[in-house]
């Protein structure tokens, strides 16, 4: 009975507010005086995000397989784990025979990682250091291997790549370098997405009878992180950019890449979809994973960029364009994206520039 349950909820909430609040619980003192502006003490301090990453088996199993099936890379080597989180990658490396692993983590999760290393009997092999890579001092001058899981939504969101490049330039032994993973590629395709575009964008036209369409502009500018069904894909997938993590410079994460998307059937196009692959080319056999819509889902899902117009495209017709990607000048963790595209088809002629911001 619905009425009963409402009463029950009210009673429960009364109970919650009966006692005196424990002020210390709200983090008014101690080291917990974090601000959301300081990303290191933000979401990564909570176990929830680490649970999500660990349960992403495509992600975590790939790293585990890379390490366990390529022990020759790790044996007697000194490893740096950039952004260790719970320490999982460091534990894998220790099990694979690394001489020593430095696990650097800036969030409060570092305290847990220390305990986890102890509990699992590996304190002689794994040293957890709490702090930012950019500020920490390592007890050694050089390391043999850098391992990191730095990839963000749309590959580059959160800009942790720069942290890996910083670590590479500071500590890696140049003549025998191994960065894991060492390749990341960004792809673009185009999808039919009428239902979801209605739900996310057109929704604002009529909200309980009111016109909130002014929000549509903002909604359009924000890429949506979501899983795309492969049946929605209308065109080929175009490789936009491959980054060589062992050689690139930070500036290479800002780029303009042209694309050509050819329709594989008659359909409507509502959005571009971006996704990435990562590869570990130093393995005995090439290993890696894809976050694309044709691969098993990961927590990165895909990134959907809605188009102002609906494109009516015929099989064989081509959308040509370019995508410009750069970290935001004010907040380098955000990513600015500009897409220029044009279609000159039998049923549709469109040429446009659209701006997006990942934040
Ligand atoms: N390696 C772990 C966690 C990956 S998430 C795993 O694979 O499960 C990335 C981690 O890097 C987060 O815990 C984040 O707090 C940390 N991190 C991000 N920037 C960092 C920096 N500049 N210095 C140290 N750690 C950083």
């Amino acid at each position: 009975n619905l009425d009963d349950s409402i009463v029950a909820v009210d009673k429960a909430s009364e109970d919650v507010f009966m006692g005196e609040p424990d002020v210390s619980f709200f983090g008014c003192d101690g080291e917990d005086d974090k601000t959301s502006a300081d990303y290191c003490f933000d979401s990564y301090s909570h176990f929830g995000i680490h649970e999500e990453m660990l349960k992403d088996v495509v992600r975590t199993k790939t790293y585990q397989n890379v390490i366990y099936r390529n022990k020759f890379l790790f044996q007697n080597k000194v490893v740096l784990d950039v952004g260790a989180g719970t320490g999982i990658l460091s534990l894998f490396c220790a099990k694979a025979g690394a001489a020593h692993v430095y696990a650097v983590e800036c969030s409060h999760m570092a305290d847990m990682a220390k305990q986890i290393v102890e509990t699992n009997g590996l304190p002689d092999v794994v040293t957890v250091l709490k702090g930012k890579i950019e500020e920490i001092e390592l007890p050694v001058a050089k390391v043999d291997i850098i391992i990191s899981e730095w990839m963000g939504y749309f590959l580059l969101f959160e800009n942790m790549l720069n942290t890996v490049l910083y670590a590479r330039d500071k500590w890696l032994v140049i003549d025998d370098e191994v960065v894991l993973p060492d390749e990341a590629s960004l792809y673009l395709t185009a999808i039919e997405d009428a239902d979801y575009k209605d739900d996310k964008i057109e929704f604002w036209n009529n909200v309980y009878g009111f016109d909130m369409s002014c929000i549509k502009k903002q909604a359009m500018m924000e890429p949506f992180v979501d899983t795309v069904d492969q049946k929605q894909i209308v065109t080929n997938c175009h490789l936009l950019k491959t980054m060589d993590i062992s050689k690139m410079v930070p500036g290479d994460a800002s780029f303009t890449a042209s694309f050509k998307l050819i329709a594989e059937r008659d359909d409507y196009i509502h959005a571009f979809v971006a996704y990435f692959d990562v590869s570990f080319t130093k393995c005995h056999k090439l290993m890696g994973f894809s976050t694309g819509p044709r691969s098993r889902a990961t927590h990165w899902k895909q990134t959907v960029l809605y188009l102002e117009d609906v494109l009516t495209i015929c099989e064989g017709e081509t959308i040509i364009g370019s995508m410009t990607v750069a970290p935001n000048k004010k907040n380098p963790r955000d990513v600015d994206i500009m897409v220029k595209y044009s279609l000159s088809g039998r049923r549709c002629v469109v040429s446009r520039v659209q701006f997006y911001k990942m934040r």
Side-chain angles (χ1 to χ4, degrees):
N1 179 310
L2 194 59
D3 287 345
D4 281 354
S5 63
I6 290 170
V7 173
V9 169
D10 282 351
K11 271 225 149 31
S13 51
E14 256 172 42
D15 289 347
V16 169
F17 292 107
M18 286 286 279
E20 279 291 305
D22 174 2
V23 178
S24 66
F25 177 78
F26 293 96
C28 295
D29 52 13
E31 59 165 355
D32 230 12
D33 52 353
K34 57 194 177 197
T35 67
S36 62
D38 191 346
Y39 67 93
C40 268
F41 303 104
D42 197 12
S43 55
Y44 286 109
S45 287
H46 190 268
F47 67 86
I49 191 161
H50 295 279
E51 180 178 356
E52 187 190 26
M53 291 188 293
L54 293 169
K55 285 181 176 168
D56 180 339
V57 284
V58 173
R59 181 199 87 107
T60 312
K61 261 281 165 201
T62 302
Y63 275 86
Q64 186 184 41
N65 289 341
V66 162
I67 298 166
Y68 285 4
R69 293 182 192 167
N70 295 279
K71 294 206 171 89
F72 70 93
L73 285 175
F74 296 89
Q75 264 150 8
N76 305 317
K77 295 288 169 61
V78 177
V79 182
L80 172 61
D81 179 356
V82 174
T86 54
I88 185 70
L89 305 183
S90 295
L91 298 171
F92 290 155
C93 293
K95 285 276 183 215
H100 205 88
V101 188
Y102 295 99
V104 180
E105 170 57 44
C106 63
S107 79
H108 294 311
M109 194 47 66
D111 304 330
M112 293 291 124
K114 278 180 198 164
Q115 281 190 43
I116 291 166
V117 167
E118 292 269 339
T119 308
N120 290 280
L122 290 165
D124 296 339
V125 188
V126 182
T127 305
V128 178
L129 301 165
K130 186 175 183 176
K132 289 190 187 179
I133 282 284
E134 295 81 352
E135 293 164 7
I136 205 112
E137 285 198 34
L138 280 192
V140 289
K142 293 284 171 201
V143 301
D144 302 301
I145 298 177
I146 286 178
I147 193 157
S148 184
E149 197 282 82
W150 52 268
M151 296 81 74
Y153 298 129
F154 187 69
L155 184 63
L156 295 168
F157 182 54
E158 292 192 334
N159 202 17
M160 204 184 144
L161 176 56
N162 268 354
T163 299
V164 174
L165 301 182
Y166 176 93
R168 179 198 69 186
D169 292 343
K170 187 160 179 184
W171 290 297
L172 213 54
V173 178
I174 297 299
D175 41 340
D176 193 19
E177 60 183 17
V178 181
V179 188
L180 299 170
D182 58 343
E183 246 179 52
S185 298
L186 193 65
Y187 295 83
L188 193 73
T189 187
I191 58 165
E192 189 286 330
D193 202 22
D195 292 349
Y196 215 61
K197 191 181 179 196
D198 272 354
D199 183 47
K200 301 301 281 184
I201 308 290
E202 307 309 327
F203 163 78
W204 296 107
N205 290 337
N206 179 350
V207 181
Y208 297 90
F210 297 98
D211 183 341
M212 299 193 182
S213 57
C214 56
I215 294 180
K216 259 169 64 172
K217 252 206 186 82
Q218 282 178 40
M220 282 290 297
M221 282 194 71
E222 245 174 66
F224 287 90
V225 173
D226 220 324
T227 38
V228 167
D229 187 333
Q230 56 174 314
K231 289 199 227 62
Q232 295 175 262
I233 301 172
V234 179
T235 67
N236 61 313
C237 299
H238 188 100
L239 171 65
L240 285 173
K241 170 94 176 168
T242 295
M243 294 180 196
D244 178 346
I245 314 304
S246 61
K247 297 204 173 64
M248 69 182 288
V249 295
D252 297 339
S254 305
F255 59 88
T256 297
S258 57
F259 60 82
K260 199 171 160 185
L261 298 173
I262 306 164
E264 289 167 351
R265 60 171 186 251
D266 289 1
D267 211 331
Y268 300 96
I269 286 173
H270 300 89
F272 291 129
V273 171
Y275 62 89
F276 64 89
D277 287 359
V278 293
S279 308
F280 301 77
T281 72
K282 296 280 158 57
C283 293
H284 185 57
K285 291 181 83 173
L286 177 68
M287 297 177 85
F289 62 87
S290 170
T291 65
R294 290 199 172 91
S295 303
R296 186 168 164 192
T298 70
H299 78 286
W300 286 285
K301 302 178 181 172
Q302 287 89 39
T303 303
V304 179
L305 309 152
Y306 283 113
L307 306 185
E308 292 283 348
D309 324 84
V310 179
L311 310 183
T312 307
I313 199 163
C314 303
E315 187 178 341
E317 290 180 351
T318 304
I319 306 169
I320 55 164
S322 67
M323 179 182 267
T324 301
V325 177
N328 182 264
K329 288 217 170 65
K330 273 203 204 120
N331 185 354
R333 297 187 68 221
D334 295 350
V335 185
D336 293 338
I337 304 164
M338 177 177 75
V339 186
K340 292 183 184 173
Y341 59 93
S342 60
L343 167 66
S344 173
R346 274 175 288 153
R347 297 183 177 160
C348 180
V349 177
V350 171
S351 188
R352 257 197 201 278
V353 183
Q354 281 188 241
F355 296 89
Y356 304 88
K357 187 193 276 293
M358 290 283 298
R359 53 172 182 186

